[in-house]
Amino acid sequence: MIIIHAEFQINPMKEQAFLEEIHPLVASSRAEDGNITYDLMKDTERESVYTMVEVWKDSAAVESHNTSEHFTSFVGKAPDYLAAPLNVKIYEGNKVEK
């Protein structure tokens, strides 16, 4: 399982436009084969900071996502909204059953 945390520090003047732009990405990504979860989280302590928390079945699913039209379209527009460089962390993990 591949887990990705992508942190967005958004220009406060462009926050609403960012949210409108990212919602179709979330919906389309959730529908992809190999996607387990794809959730945008708002930071409760820092204004205009969001983290996309993605969980994928495997690296092939991530590669497919990274070449999808909805992802590449968003990536092309994302710099317009950012107040700082995108911070992406990628982890490999397994679900722990209790």
Side-chain angles (χ1 to χ4, degrees):
M1 184 176 343
I2 306 297
I3 303 154
I4 301 172
H5 291 179
E7 183 182 274
F8 300 88
Q9 293 183 36
I10 303 302
N11 175 335
M13 301 297 289
K14 298 182 177 184
E15 191 167 2
Q16 188 58 41
F18 164 78
L19 292 171
E20 290 171 11
E21 191 68 44
I22 205 164
H23 282 297
L25 169 69
V26 171
S28 295
S29 299
R30 286 177 177 166
E32 288 183 56
D33 286 337
N35 179 257
I36 298 170
T37 62
Y38 203 92
D39 297 309
L40 182 66
M41 308 290 188
K42 183 166 183 4
D43 195 304
T44 59
E45 297 177 3
R46 297 179 292 163
E47 290 295 319
S48 304
V49 175
Y50 295 82
T51 300
M52 186 68 74
V53 179
E54 309 172 33
V55 181
W56 298 93
K57 178 182 171 187
D58 53 30
S59 59
V62 173
E63 290 174 25
S64 177
H65 170 67
N66 288 347
T67 60
S68 68
E69 183 178 339
H70 52 271
F71 180 79
T72 57
S73 175
F74 177 80
V75 167
K77 298 172 187 173
D80 295 340
Y81 307 109
L82 297 176
L86 186 62
N87 180 10
V88 179
K89 296 176 183 164
I90 303 173
Y91 306 93
E92 189 172 62
N94 296 302
K95 184 176 179 183
V96 176
E97 299 291 339
K98 291 185 176 185

